């Protein structure tokens, strides 16, 4: 923990953990970054690290914020550094599978996961506006939920949240998975 002067400790945190298939875009920069304090954004995903064009686009999108783009194996170390720093961070991945994987690797990103747009998955079932999930997403969300993560589906801060239980029920009905 860092201190200012002699008396007041500064406790900074991870202010948003999000799954968003577009990662960083207008909603992230104009809505979420106003709603929640942020000094830097950490993006995790092995596929993103390998995509030079996407990395350049993400760097341009963050404007004056710090940006780290890391493979999933780096998540435990980078998340801990973010939590221990005197800055506020967003953690973003493009799928729930990435979030489940980094949790399995030991990344402690907290107990709240916000889910934004997930509409670029082939063979996925539409369960809401800009929300399509498949069996891999379903399994990842179940893993996260069963490990104490509260999952809410919300595109922008002033939109009503939907819970994983609501989305799960709809997916099970539409897919027949709950039968």
């Amino acid at each position: 923990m860092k201190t200012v002067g002699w008396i007041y400790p500064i406790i900074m945190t991870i202010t948003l953990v999000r799954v968003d298939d577009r990662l960083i875009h207008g909603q992230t920069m104009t809505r979420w970054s106003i709603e929640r304090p942020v000094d830097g954004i950490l993006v995790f995903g092995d596929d993103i690290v390998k995509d030079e064009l996407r990395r350049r686009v993400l760097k341009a999108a963050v404007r004056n914020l710090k940006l780290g783009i890391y493979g999933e194996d780096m998540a435990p170390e980078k998340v801990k550094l973010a939590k221990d720093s005197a800055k506020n961070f967003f953690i973003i991945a493009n799928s729930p599978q990435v979030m489940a994987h980094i949790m399995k690797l030991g990344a402690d990103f907290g107990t709240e996961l916000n889910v934004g747009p997930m509409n670029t998955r082939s063979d996925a079932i539409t369960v809401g506006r800009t929300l399509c999930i498949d069996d891999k997403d379903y399994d990842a969300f179940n893993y996260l939920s069963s490990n104490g993560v509260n999952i809410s589906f919300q595109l922008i801060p002033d939109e009503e949240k939907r819970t994983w239980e609501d989305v799960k029920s709809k997916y099970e009905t539409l897919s027949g998975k709950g039968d």
Side-chain angles (χ1 to χ4, degrees):
M1 183 179 334
K2 303 201 186 244
T3 60
V4 174
W6 297 94
I7 301 172
Y8 304 103
I10 297 175
I11 301 172
M12 297 296 169
T13 189
I14 295 169
T15 57
L16 180 69
V17 180
R18 184 169 170 91
V19 169
D20 187 323
D21 60 11
R22 296 183 293 169
L23 298 168
I24 302 168
H25 52 87
Q27 290 171 349
T28 308
M29 298 310 299
T30 63
R31 303 300 297 276
W32 288 105
S33 68
I34 292 168
E35 184 74 19
R36 311 257 179 113
V38 62
D39 300 302
I41 299 176
L42 303 179
V43 174
F44 293 104
D46 293 341
D47 59 331
I48 299 152
V49 168
K50 296 174 187 172
D51 187 338
E52 176 65 31
L53 176 61
R54 193 154 193 205
R55 287 195 327 263
R56 284 191 303 206
V57 168
L58 293 173
K59 286 177 185 177
V62 296
R63 301 183 314 237
N64 59 339
L65 297 176
K66 300 288 186 190
L67 174 67
I69 301 171
Y70 302 104
E72 295 160 35
D73 61 331
M74 298 288 295
E77 173 190 348
K78 295 301 181 182
V79 170
K80 183 175 180 346
L81 286 172
K83 289 174 74 172
D84 291 345
S85 80
K87 304 286 183 187
N88 291 302
F89 288 92
F90 287 1
I91 293 176
I92 303 177
N94 64 355
S95 78
Q97 291 95 341
V98 171
M99 296 307 295
H101 185 232
I102 69 173
M103 177 181 260
K104 288 175 187 174
L105 292 173
D108 178 9
F109 51 79
T111 60
E112 299 294 324
L113 175 64
N114 170 269
V115 181
M118 285 181 49
N119 52 17
T120 58
R121 285 148 169 73
S122 61
D123 300 324
I125 296 172
T126 301
V127 292
R129 187 172 63 107
T130 71
L131 182 60
C132 303
I133 65 174
D134 61 19
D135 284 348
K136 290 179 183 177
D137 299 323
Y138 176 92
D139 292 342
F141 283 133
N142 268 338
Y143 173 81
L144 292 162
S145 179
S146 69
N147 282 281
V149 177
N150 298 312
I151 304 166
S152 61
F153 297 79
Q154 184 182 32
L155 294 177
I156 55 176
D158 52 349
E159 183 178 82
E160 186 175 336
K161 293 179 183 180
R162 294 175 60 205
T163 67
W164 168 235
E165 291 306 314
D166 292 337
V167 171
K168 177 180 179 178
S169 176
K170 186 166 185 178
Y171 181 77
E172 289 173 349
T173 298
L174 294 172
S175 69
K177 192 166 181 100
D179 296 337

